[in-house]
Amino acid sequence: MNIIVLVKQVPDTETRIKVQPGTTDIVREGISYLLNPYDEFAVEEALKIKEAKGGEVVVITMGEARTEEAVRTALAMGADKARRLDGAEFLGADSYATAAALAKAIQGESYDLILCGKQAVDDDSVQVGILVAAMLGIPCVNMVTKLEVADGSVKATREIEGGTETIEAPTPCVITAQKGLNEPRYPSLPGIMKAKKKELKAVSLGDLGLAADQVGAAGSKTEISELTMPAERAAGKVFEGEPADIVPKVVRMLRDEAKVI
Amino acid sequence: MANVWVIAEVKEGKLKKVALEMLSKGKELASQVGGALEGVLVGSGVEGLASEMAKYGASKVYVADDAALAEYNGEAYANIIGKLVEEQKPGVILIGASINGKDLAPRLSAKLGAGLASDVVELGADGGKLTVKRPIYAGKAFASIKFKTDIQIATVRPNVNPVAAPNDGASAEVVKISADAGAVKAKIVDKQLSAGGKIELTEANIIVSGGRGMKGPENYKMLEDLADVIGAAVGASRAAVDAGWRAHHDQVGQTGKTVSPTLYIAFGISGAIQHLAGMSSSKFIVAVNKDAEAPIFKVADYGIVADLFTVAPIMTDEFKKLLAE
């Protein structure tokens, strides 16, 4: 079973985000980057399926050279080879243009299943997996917490409001990973050493056979006009003392002063 | 003319609150972009809800009502709505940013080649086009978004737009549309619902949340008791989820859910940056923590520096008394 995993490099969730004044980007200096946490679940699931059924795990990302570090993490976990969509034309893409490029890259591979995180924790769009599936004309099950793979189909359990549902879909299909799907392994030292020698191919726009206006900022359906910081919250009231005295007071104030209850 | 559409989600025979919020805001948007406000209902036994949508400003409601549509299926719903959009060409499509809404919107985006902004917290118009603002990095920053396409789709975060007063005398033209779901490849084979109509975190008006300070899963009973009294959902910090005390879908923060309730009460949560990102857009925050230096107090409107195990039962009793008044 050949599996493609779509991954993205994102700033560490501990990062304090600042907007770069006069731009639509954040301050990039001093940021440490990680493999998107939800993509880690996708990589882990791909590896578990490969261990059970054989086949190959191919990781695909899109981004500048630094994003290879996230790809190497996936390779160190055990993925077999990787592709990176490389070139200035790909930059500034919204979810739609990202998915268009990834879908085209996927068409050049042999695959039975595509896995990716349900969202990247930078732009939080929750779109790319579903868009890729739609563009490839294959089904997608979103926010999956349990996956069973059979011959020619999968059973995927996904989170819904107030519970879960199980969906059966024919392969090939796209599965987006939600937290809870598995516990991702840490790359081992030998894994890290091996990853350095694994194939990581840069793929250009020309290789994909796409036009420059189909990808990146030019191929996007939306654009960011401004980035802003959240409003600072004003310092609040602090209550100290005996809970038996202060809690009744606070509860009354929630109604009478804050008017939130 | 660019009409504004609200795709309403139905739960247990009622319109979800976010649908009313979107209609209320959509009415304003429709006048700004020079179009009409219209609704779409897809489901089983939903036709009667068209009159409810009319009260909140919809002048026309498209209805696909069929027993086969009782349960949300992304492919089926996208096929039905996508076909309708291609025929009617609305300018703006608003969808609630619920679990199903976030599943449906990208399917429509792909089908229609339309721009999509997810989880928006502000909606406006500029030169007849939609403009939105949405959180990125779980709310550590906000992006203002413009659309390049004629059809503009946004999923709208619940609880951020107020519901306008209904106009009970208003009515809407009901247009029945084809309920033919077309080819559907992925099918629901099983459903497991947890008992007792749990309130979804991202749509809850009040959230009571517990962190590492809860010390163990058994102590969340205390928060559930409080939540029952005030009609809240129970959330948890990443520390509590990673410790296995609470389910993953209860996690608030950057690798969990980003929430904007009216009231967020945090018990024993220190306030790691990735948690603060997920909850600091709450309208009012109460934090209970023994440690007066905990970062959560920097975002709290009311901070109670005390032992949560003493505070929680007193708070539950006091709310009971208050709500009985």
Side-chain angles (χ1 to χ4, degrees), chain B residues 93-180:
Chain B
I93 301 174
L94 305 181
I95 302 171
S98 63
I99 291 175
N100 289 345
K102 286 184 187 170
D103 183 79
L104 174 66
R107 294 177 192 270
L108 290 175
S109 166
K111 218 174 253 296
L112 302 161
L116 164 62
S118 309
D119 210 18
V120 311
V121 294
E122 268 182 48
L123 292 148
D126 182 15
K129 296 283 283 184
L130 181 67
T131 59
V132 301
K133 198 168 177 179
R134 58 178 303 270
I136 53 174
Y137 302 96
K140 290 176 185 171
F142 288 83
S144 301
I145 308 282
K146 287 183 170 165
F147 294 81
K148 298 195 214 171
T149 52
D150 292 339
I151 298 171
Q152 310 156 91
I153 311 175
T155 58
V156 180
R157 182 181 287 196
N159 279 333
V160 296
N161 291 293
V163 177
N167 173 5
D168 290 333
S171 64
E173 180 192 347
V174 175
V175 180
K176 290 204 183 190
I177 59 165
S178 163
D180 179 8

Side-chain angles (χ1 to χ4, degrees), chain A residues 13 38 122-125 127 137 161-162 164 166 168 179 217 223 225-226 228 233 237 239 252 257, chain B residues 16 118 134 137-138 140 142 144 146 148 185 187 189-190 192 194 251 255 280 282 301-303 325:
Chain A
T13 54
Y38 293 109
D122 50 3
D123 57 25
D124 292 327
S125 280
Q127 292 184 27
E161 196 177 320
T164 57
T166 303
E168 194 171 271
K179 188 168 179 175
E223 62 184 340
S225 56
E226 192 187 11
T228 46
R233 294 190 77 97
K237 294 195 168 105
F239 301 85
R252 302 266 142 195
E257 189 188 87
Chain B
K16 276 192 142 184
S118 309
R134 58 178 303 270
Y137 302 96
K140 290 176 185 171
F142 288 83
S144 301
K146 287 183 170 165
K148 298 195 214 171
K185 290 179 190 152
K187 297 195 169 79
V189 291
D190 191 20
Q192 308 87 19
S194 48
Q251 186 183 324
T255 48
S280 57
S282 305
D301 298 283
Y302 291 169
E325 279 173 15

